[in-house]
Amino acid sequence: MKNLKSLLTTLAICLMAAFITSCGESNTPTGVTKQILNCAMEKDFEGYVKLMNIPDNERQQTVDMMKKASETKKGDQDSFTDYEIISEEIDEASGIAHVRYKLIYDNGKEEEGKMAFEKVDGKWMMSVKVW
């Protein structure tokens, strides 16, 4: 019984931490970048694609392509295990933002990248056409 109570307490704390972390900055370019990178690490392709500014009729095809690409890389040990956000730049006039990030691999390798975002109906979405 004591172990069950301890397990439930730990689970409640983890859920609260996830809720608190997801609130607040989730509708910022940095927040969306974090969501995208977390989805990539967890291979949550549906979640990843939901954050992209693409037509609804292309979403499932994009998910399927990502799954297929992931399956061909299964033996590849170059999956990143952590990331850092380097900077966020928002151009309010154009509604375009760029977030620079660093991917960290378990073999010690690091790689920098950049994502572009645009506001769609008040929400920041990853752009596939703006750079």
Side-chain angles (χ1 to χ4, degrees):
M1 185 66 161
K2 185 177 180 180
N3 287 340
L4 181 59
K5 185 177 179 181
S6 177
L7 177 65
L8 291 175
T9 301
T10 302
L11 181 60
I13 290 170
C14 289
L15 288 173
M16 231 182 344
F19 178 74
I20 291 170
T21 303
S22 68
C23 293
E25 69 172 35
S26 63
N27 191 27
T28 65
T30 293
V32 177
T33 300
K34 289 177 180 181
Q35 291 174 51
I36 288 169
L37 294 175
N38 284 329
C39 286
M41 283 194 303
E42 297 167 9
K43 305 223 183 306
D44 175 9
F45 305 118
E46 288 85 4
Y48 190 111
V49 170
K50 284 181 184 177
L51 300 167
M52 296 172 68
N53 185 20
I54 59 175
D56 288 339
N57 63 342
E58 293 179 16
R59 291 190 186 282
Q60 189 57 51
Q61 180 183 5
T62 304
V63 168
D64 294 342
M65 286 189 317
M66 292 174 78
K67 284 181 181 178
K68 187 173 184 175
S70 174
E71 289 170 1
T72 60
K73 293 179 84 179
K74 275 190 177 177
D76 193 354
Q77 295 180 341
D78 285 343
S79 295
F80 70 98
T81 56
D82 201 5
Y83 60 86
E84 294 176 12
I85 302 299
I86 298 170
S87 66
E88 172 186 272
E89 296 175 12
I90 300 174
D91 181 349
E92 295 292 343
S94 68
I96 304 296
H98 290 94
V99 176
R100 293 182 49 77
Y101 59 90
K102 180 181 358 176
L103 301 179
I104 303 165
Y105 298 84
D106 58 0
N107 64 4
K109 179 179 151 189
E110 295 182 351
E111 179 178 64
E112 289 190 15
K114 182 168 117 174
M115 287 187 205
F117 295 88
E118 52 193 329
K119 259 196 174 170
V120 179
D121 298 327
K123 293 182 181 180
W124 288 103
M125 303 287 288
M126 183 173 74
S127 178
V128 295
K129 62 183 177 184
V130 175
W131 284 97

